[in-house]
Amino acid sequence: MSDLPGYVTSCMNTMKLALLALLVAGGIVLQILACALYNNWWPMLSVIMYVLLPLPLLCSAGLDDYSSLSESDSSWVSAVKFLTGASGIGSIAIPAILKHGGVIGWGAMIMEIASFFVLVFAIMCYIRMCNDDD
């Protein structure tokens, strides 16, 4: 893409950023609709996991040998990967547990899980976009 003019690459980067913003907004809208449409705000418990999900990754930013995709013998890196995975699974488990307990209905559970996957897709697109810039 080095042969494109500067204004074209700038416009493409702006479009990528706008797409990410729309994905995140869509995930948040699904989260709120899962609560508002069914007049039950218990599905908002999964927001706790959305907050906890990036914390281990943020705390591990100072590790020298950290890479989320590579294998490592470091116990700290393994702990970070475990806590991140546990938070991710918790984001799916909370709506499933609430549905199993009869607190929410099928529609709210499906919207909650769809919200999770939309937000994960936005994060994956962001990571891909950052890797393309390098």
Side-chain angles (χ1 to χ4, degrees):
M1 288 194 12
S2 61
D3 57 341
L4 294 175
Y7 65 90
V8 174
T9 57
S10 175
C11 182
M12 289 176 61
N13 288 335
T14 305
M15 298 263 301
K16 289 178 186 178
L17 190 60
L19 176 66
L20 287 175
L22 285 173
L23 283 173
V24 170
I28 293 170
V29 166
L30 279 172
Q31 178 78 31
I32 293 172
L33 280 179
C35 300
L37 288 179
Y38 299 100
N39 200 19
N40 187 352
W41 292 91
W42 279 103
M44 279 298 213
L45 282 176
S46 60
V47 172
I48 295 169
M49 287 297 162
Y50 294 152
V51 171
L52 293 178
L53 187 66
L55 288 181
L57 294 172
L58 291 174
C59 292
S60 70
L63 294 177
D64 291 334
D65 59 348
Y66 179 73
S67 175
S68 61
L69 300 177
S70 66
E71 290 187 27
S72 175
D73 293 334
S74 173
S75 59
W76 287 108
V77 173
S78 297
V80 165
K81 288 179 183 179
F82 173 77
L83 291 173
T84 303
S87 297
I89 295 300
S91 300
I92 296 173
I94 288 175
I97 291 169
L98 290 174
K99 170 60 184 116
H100 182 71
V103 178
I104 64 173
W106 280 105
M109 184 188 81
I110 290 170
M111 290 179 87
E112 283 286 318
I113 293 174
S115 168
F116 172 73
F117 284 116
V118 167
L119 290 172
V120 166
F121 182 69
I123 291 169
M124 291 172 62
C125 288
Y126 174 74
I127 292 170
R128 173 70 189 249
M129 189 174 81
C130 288
N131 286 342
D132 285 347
D133 289 343
D134 295 340

